[in-house]
Amino acid sequence: MHLPTGPQTPAFLQILRWVFSPMSYMEACAKTYGDTFSLKLDTNSDPIFFTSNPQAIQQILTSDTKELEAPGELNSLFEFLLGKKSVITISGAEHQRQRQLMMPPFHGERMRSYSQVITDVTAKVINQYQVGETLNIRSITQDITLRVIMQAVFGLDEGPRAEKLQELLGKLLEKGSSRLIVFLLYFPSLQRDFGPIDLWGQQMRLQAETDNLIYAEIQERRENPDPSRTDILSLLMAARDEAGQPMTDEELHDELITLLVAGHETTATALAWALYWIHKLPSVRQKLLAEIDDLAENPDSNTVFKLPYLNAVFSETLRIYPVAMLTFPRQVKMPISIGGYDLEPGTVALGSIYLTHHREDIYPEPKKFKPERFLEQQFSPYEYLPFGGGARRCIGLAFAQLEMKLAIVKILSSLELELVDNGDIAAQRRGLVTSPDRPIKMIVKSNLQVKSRSLETVAL
Ligand code: HEM
């Protein structure tokens, strides 16, 4: 085996740096060892192959499954939250089957129904705020994305069960995002319930409460089927695989929690970053407002989706601070040479999305927010990959894109916001993803509702 070099410090110290400052650790490694290096993030197994080389990433994401696989077992870090039957934690044929059952709600026609939900929920959330109020932007984007995903998944964001579920999910993700919980994930022997003051125990109890509510909803739907419902839960309950089999309750539960978690946290953070950059850089805001002002009265969501400058802002937001730092891990099945390194079966390979997006040779001045790069140049799917690629490419890519773009247009055409301070905000770890390292605070300067346009839905 010929693995790239990497830090020689004990695994425990590497894990500590990885948990507490993953991006600066990756940057330091890239500076010392080049675009491909290895890190020891498990006290019992071989070092992990990290790369930000687009050719190597292409190979990792697209190789035949006989050579490289994306086994769900390697995502076991997510199992505590998502379960054993989540599309994220299963592998091979089972993964393919679940993905096929889950894809239809995220395609073309189906997206149409979500446009109105997104615009309505965004309006409902921002209408609560008055001129002069100071807002914590991430709380607002989290409120929007949680309500939107609840509507999309269950067809409701109101009512006692929906409200309880929203409250529990909020708490669950808040606690699950602590770096201490991430630390415990790397040391399973410490994942024990030590009583009421224990962090891990609290997390487990919150999860049990959430699980009960989701199972109760599944049970109720089974007892009172309503064929007119078009929410994702109804579609998943009606779906059949090639053998004509429906999903089990456990599969349904794990996929629902997966969509609620994956579809809400990530998009909330990305939307918060977009609003930060738009208000931090006056020229970006002006160009975006000019594009929005040029829209016809009552623009349809398809038109909004295709706005070039809005698309460039969306793309640059996920370039500079990708919410997911890494692709999911892939594992070598047969001896293979990647980026000049001969890897043996069992080796785990990761594409560093963060480092790839910060390559000076692909993105000159990578630390600067410059949407124009996406107007001037097209990047390959292995140079720009905020949603990963290949067999595990993000299922919610189009959903997240639609949600962010419609919400940005709705917010900018409804409220004039100003950052409370113009200091820089950087990215830090939040659970298994990233987020701003301090709250993004803005003041509502004026309410532009009179000028606001209502976005009509059309098929995408
Ligand atoms: C800005 C928002 C989002 C970002 C940056 C993001 C990013 C990612 C990334 C990097 C992966 C791993 C891909 C790979 O390893 O190749 C992934 C997988 C996944 N994402 Fe997203 N995601 C976002 C929003 C969503 C939404 C809205 C949903 C659903 C409603 C979703 C559902 C999923 C699921 C189910 C997977 C697992 C796919 C599989 O294992 O087959 N994501 N996402």
Side-chain angles (χ1 to χ4, degrees):
M1 169 134 80
H2 172 205
L3 267 178
T5 48
Q8 297 306 308
T9 43
F12 177 75
L13 294 178
Q14 296 195 31
I15 295 173
L16 270 185
R17 279 196 76 180
W18 176 246
V19 168
F20 289 95
S21 48
M23 284 165 282
S24 62
Y25 195 28
M26 282 194 284
E27 277 176 327
C29 290
K31 214 166 162 193
T32 313
Y33 309 105
D35 65 8
T36 303
F37 52 87
S38 52
L39 283 183
K40 202 152 167 44
L41 298 182
D42 190 324
T43 40
N44 299 317
S45 18
D46 288 332
I48 297 176
F49 178 92
F50 275 71
T51 187
S52 60
N53 178 305
Q55 285 81 37
I57 289 183
Q58 177 167 14
Q59 224 181 327
I60 290 173
L61 296 181
T62 61
S63 281
D64 192 288
T65 49
K66 279 193 238 102
E67 294 175 322
L68 269 169
E69 216 190 27
E73 303 90 84
L74 293 181
N75 289 334
S76 60
L77 279 184
F78 293 91
E79 213 173 274
F80 82 106
L81 193 57
L82 309 179
K84 288 186 184 344
K85 293 285 172 192
S86 156
V87 71
I88 291 180
T89 54
I90 54 179
S91 323
E94 192 185 14
H95 171 254
Q96 256 176 350
R97 168 189 180 264
Q98 289 290 95
R99 238 184 113 93
Q100 262 166 18
L101 291 174
M102 289 175 77
M103 287 309 285
F106 294 99
H107 268 207
E109 256 303 293
R110 284 286 164 200
M111 299 293 285
R112 176 185 172 188
S113 53
Y114 308 135
S115 308
Q116 197 60 53
V117 168
I118 295 165
T119 307
D120 291 350
V121 165
T122 308
K124 194 160 140 189
V125 170
I126 58 177
N127 282 346
Q128 303 171 66
Y129 302 103
Q130 312 296 324
V131 174
E133 245 182 281
T134 300
L135 315 178
N136 178 342
I137 290 299
R138 201 173 179 287
S139 310
I140 291 169
T141 59
Q142 210 160 355
D143 197 5
I144 293 173
T145 59
L146 182 54
R147 284 166 189 257
V148 166
I149 198 70
M150 287 286 292
Q151 280 269 11
V153 168
F154 294 116
L156 45 121
D157 77 335
E158 280 167 349
R161 187 174 296 150
E163 275 156 27
K164 184 72 193 163
L165 198 51
Q166 277 181 29
E167 182 201 320
L168 283 173
L169 273 171
K171 281 193 199 159
L172 194 64
L173 291 172
E174 202 50 51
K175 284 201 185 299
S177 300
S178 91
R179 281 182 260 187
L180 195 52
I181 284 280
V182 177
F183 183 72
L184 294 179
L185 290 176
Y186 282 93
F187 293 96
S189 58
L190 298 176
Q191 295 169 8
R192 300 198 342 244
D193 190 341
F194 294 101
I197 48 149
D198 166 64
L199 199 60
W200 188 257
Q202 282 172 20
Q203 182 75 14
M204 293 301 107
R205 283 188 288 280
L206 267 177
Q207 271 175 234
E209 238 189 298
T210 313
D211 290 350
N212 289 342
L213 281 181
I214 295 180
Y215 278 118
E217 185 69 27
I218 296 173
Q219 188 59 30
E220 211 171 282
R221 298 285 182 101
R222 289 224 190 271
E223 283 163 10
N224 307 298
D226 176 356
S228 67
R229 296 190 78 127
T230 55
D231 52 74
I232 295 176
L233 172 54
S234 306
L235 299 175
L236 291 182
M237 288 180 86
R240 297 291 178 268
D241 64 15
E242 282 172 0
Q245 292 304 308
M247 288 166 78
T248 63
D249 280 6
E250 189 188 359
E251 285 169 343
L252 279 171
H253 164 275
D254 289 1
E255 298 313 7
L256 293 178
I257 191 97
T258 298
L259 293 177
L260 291 171
V261 172
H264 145 233
E265 267 288 288
T266 46
T267 319
T269 298
L271 184 54
W273 275 127
L275 292 168
Y276 165 74
W277 290 113
I278 293 165
H279 292 88
K280 167 114 177 131
L281 304 169
S283 68
V284 171
R285 183 164 173 270
Q286 272 155 23
K287 283 184 204 160
L288 202 49
L289 284 176
E291 196 173 67
I292 295 171
D293 274 349
D294 275 353
L295 289 171
E297 219 35 59
N298 301 327
D300 63 56
S301 55
N302 202 16
T303 308
V304 172
F305 196 81
K306 290 183 180 153
L307 288 175
Y309 195 70
L310 177 59
N311 187 58
V313 169
F314 163 85
S315 304
E316 180 70 346
T317 298
L318 282 170
R319 180 199 67 81
I320 194 160
Y321 292 138
V323 182
M325 291 173 278
L326 306 168
T327 64
F328 285 155
R330 269 65 171 177
Q331 192 165 36
V332 176
K333 295 271 131 194
M334 285 168 63
I336 185 172
S337 174
I338 301 181
Y341 298 96
D342 298 325
L343 307 183
E344 288 297 320
T347 309
V348 173
L350 286 167
S352 171
I353 301 176
Y354 177 79
L355 285 181
T356 311
H357 287 188
H358 283 251
R359 283 183 73 109
E360 190 95 44
D361 56 342
I362 305 175
Y363 303 101
E365 297 189 291
K367 303 284 174 207
K368 288 209 170 137
F369 186 86
K370 297 206 289 188
E372 286 69 21
R373 27 176 137 244
F374 286 90
L375 299 173
E376 291 156 5
Q377 206 184 324
Q378 278 215 319
F379 300 97
S380 87
Y382 312 105
E383 292 170 338
Y384 182 69
L385 65 157
F387 296 96
R392 286 202 178 257
R393 193 167 89 132
C394 177
I395 287 178
L397 183 157
F399 188 94
Q401 205 169 341
L402 180 72
E403 183 172 4
M404 281 177 66
K405 289 179 179 178
L406 289 176
I408 290 172
V409 170
K410 186 73 198 164
I411 294 170
L412 289 193
S413 48
S414 306
L415 297 179
E416 187 192 346
L417 298 168
E418 194 178 275
L419 279 165
V420 166
D421 74 86
N422 211 31
D424 288 343
I425 300 186
Q428 67 170 11
R429 179 190 279 285
R430 181 180 157 88
L432 296 171
V433 288
T434 65
S435 80
D437 65 356
R438 66 180 169 92
I440 301 172
K441 296 229 164 123
M442 293 194 196
I443 295 184
V444 182
K445 298 297 283 181
S446 64
N447 192 322
L448 312 167
Q449 291 291 357
V450 261
K451 286 194 217 156
S452 145
R453 306 162 198 284
S454 74
L455 300 169
E456 287 197 344
T457 55
V458 293
L460 286 168

